[in-house]
């Protein structure tokens, strides 16, 4: 048996940190890394600005910050925590930013629009040694950002749905890479649907010639937002005789009302804890811990 020698283990002096939201995922990653969360004070000044203080001496430590820069306040908080950890002596900061707000505006759709995705990811990358994002909407925005890595948690999807699906489908051609990785892990077939967006809430889905009759189908996407994509895909697949349709995605951005509608029309809806929801049952903490160890 090989025992880890304390002196040579690279993550021996590792600590973890979290923000005010998403503590469940931070705790799970801490357990996977066998690291202890740093004691921090995070509160609001009376004018609404955020105050962040690290209450420990972190001299020489590697600190893994796990917090989704979700919405304006989450982005600011992530950057302030990075700064606070550095000032407390952290030697190396690894930022795990599972969901980064603003990352869906990845190009100019109309003349004169701000392109938000690279702005905030780049800003966060300046506050750490490594930035790990999860299933970013368009990985092309990360080009030229050398210390940023995108993780597709396909092993976590596969572990979650193993034994329950015999076909994996991507809701559109652009989502095929993620679906293919999960299907390969599961050893089942994979295909994609043809999606045309009609409005913010509705899409048209056409099935290819894939046979779904009597099958248990897992649709895997990066985001469930209004639920329009999953809802229509499920409707079409059921019409074609699918026995079960499961809707899985990395990021759950839905309202409670939209989630309830989805749950009435699908056999299962589940997402990761990149944003904490009541269906965040896909645990990606082990996969994230592996990526951190591999840096
Ligand atoms: C689109 O490109 C994304 O991959 C998702 O399919 C989309 O964001 C899902 O949105 P909704 O749930 O509103 O259909």
């Amino acid at each position: 048996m090989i025992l880890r020698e304390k002196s040579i283990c690279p993550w021996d002096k590792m600590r973890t940190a979290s923000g005010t939201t998403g503590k469940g995922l931070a705790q799970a990653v801490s357990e996977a890394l066998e690291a202890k969360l740093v004691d921090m004070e995070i509160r609001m000044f009376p004018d609404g600005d955020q105050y962040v203080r690290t209450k420990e001496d972190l001299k020489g430590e590697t600190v893994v910050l796990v917090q989704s820069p979700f919405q304006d306040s989450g982005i600011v908080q992530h950057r302030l925590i990075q700064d606070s950890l550095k000032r407390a002596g952290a030697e190396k900061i690894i930022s795990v930013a599972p969901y980064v707000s603003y990352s869906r505006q990845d190009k100019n759709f109309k003349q004169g629009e701000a392109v938000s995705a690279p702005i905030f990811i780049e800003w966060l990358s300046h506050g750490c040694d490594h930035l790990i994002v999860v299933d970013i909407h368009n990985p092309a925005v990360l080009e030229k950002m050398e210390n940023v890595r995108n993780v597709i948690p396909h092993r976590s999807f596969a572990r979650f749905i193993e034994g329950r699906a015999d076909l994996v489908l991507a809701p559109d051609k652009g989502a095929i890479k993620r679906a293919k990785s999960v299907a390969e892990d599961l050893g089942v077939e994979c295909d994609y649907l043809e999606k045309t967006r009609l409005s913010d809430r509705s899409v048209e889905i056409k099935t290819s010639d894939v046979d779904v009759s009597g099958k248990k189908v897992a649709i895997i996407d990066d985001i469930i937002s209004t639920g329009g994509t999953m809802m229509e895909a499920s409707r079409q697949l059921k019409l074609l005789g699918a026995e079960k349709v499961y809707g899985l995605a990395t990021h759950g951005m839905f309202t409670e009302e939209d989630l309830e509608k989805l749950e009435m029309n699908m056999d299962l809806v589940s997402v990761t804890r990149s944003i904490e929801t009541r269906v965040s049952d896909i645990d990606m903490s082990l996969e994230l811990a592996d990526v951190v160890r591999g840096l």
Side-chain angles (χ1 to χ4, degrees), residues 104 137 172 195 197 200 221-229:
R104 284 203 276 177
H137 187 62
D172 55 59
K195 171 169 113 177
R197 185 158 285 286
D200 282 353
D221 207 353
D222 59 341
I223 297 174
I224 303 176
S225 178
T226 65
T229 301

Side-chain angles (χ1 to χ4, degrees), residues 35-270:
K36 196 169 159 260
L37 279 163
V38 172
D39 191 13
M40 311 207 64
E41 180 184 356
I42 304 178
R43 61 178 168 82
M44 298 280 252
F45 283 111
D47 64 1
D49 286 356
Q50 297 188 61
Y51 172 89
V52 175
R53 178 179 161 239
T54 298
K55 292 161 82 176
E56 297 184 47
D57 178 3
L58 298 175
K59 197 156 177 257
E61 307 261 15
T62 290
V63 185
V64 184
L65 164 61
V66 184
Q67 188 249 15
S68 276
F70 180 45
Q71 299 176 331
D72 298 12
S73 61
I75 292 176
V76 171
Q77 188 176 99
H78 197 107
R79 190 66 187 83
L80 291 178
I81 296 174
Q82 290 174 330
D83 186 64
S84 162
L85 295 170
K86 181 124 273 180
R87 289 172 193 275
E91 192 177 299
K92 189 172 177 184
I93 297 171
I94 300 170
S95 267
V96 181
Y99 181 75
V100 186
S101 273
Y102 293 97
S103 54
R104 284 203 276 177
Q105 182 78 22
D106 56 351
K107 56 177 175 257
N108 267 132
F109 297 92
K110 287 185 192 154
Q111 169 73 21
E113 280 178 346
V115 180
S116 52
I119 299 175
F120 297 109
I121 299 170
E122 194 163 21
W123 188 49
L124 295 172
S125 78
H126 291 158
C128 59
D129 298 274
H130 299 278
L131 177 65
I132 298 169
V133 294
V134 177
D135 211 345
I136 202 80
H137 187 62
N138 180 2
V141 303
L142 307 180
E143 268 166 30
K144 299 194 192 123
M145 296 186 208
E146 281 177 6
N147 65 338
V148 185
R149 172 141 178 214
N150 184 35
V151 175
I152 309 283
H154 60 93
R155 287 191 286 128
S156 308
F157 280 118
R159 208 175 41 241
F160 178 76
I161 203 69
E162 193 166 18
R164 294 192 275 178
D166 38 37
L167 173 66
V168 173
L169 288 182
D172 55 59
K173 205 172 177 184
I176 189 69
K177 201 171 159 207
R178 176 187 311 99
K180 228 176 188 167
S181 305
V182 179
E184 273 167 22
D185 293 343
L186 291 171
V188 302
E189 271 181 87
C190 180
D191 212 317
Y192 64 90
L193 304 168
E194 310 259 358
K195 171 169 113 177
T196 312
R197 185 158 285 286
L198 305 174
S199 71
D200 282 353
R201 298 191 71 88
S202 66
V203 299
E204 184 183 81
I205 298 271
K206 285 195 189 136
T207 47
S208 47
D209 48 11
V210 58
D211 177 18
V212 298
S213 175
K215 293 203 172 148
K216 299 183 187 98
V217 186
I219 308 170
I220 304 197
D221 207 353
D222 59 341
I223 297 174
I224 303 176
S225 178
T226 65
T229 301
M230 286 290 180
M231 190 86 93
E232 185 54 17
S234 177
R235 202 176 70 83
Q236 295 291 343
L237 295 171
K238 290 264 168 112
L239 281 176
L240 291 170
E243 185 192 327
K244 303 250 181 221
V245 183
Y246 310 123
L248 310 182
T250 307
H251 311 294
M253 314 284 301
F254 32 70
T255 61
E256 178 58 28
E257 202 186 339
D258 285 333
L259 175 58
E260 280 170 18
K261 268 193 238 155
L262 262 185
E263 287 178 317
M264 279 190 277
N265 288 281
M266 301 192 85
D267 295 284
L268 175 75
V269 180
S270 209

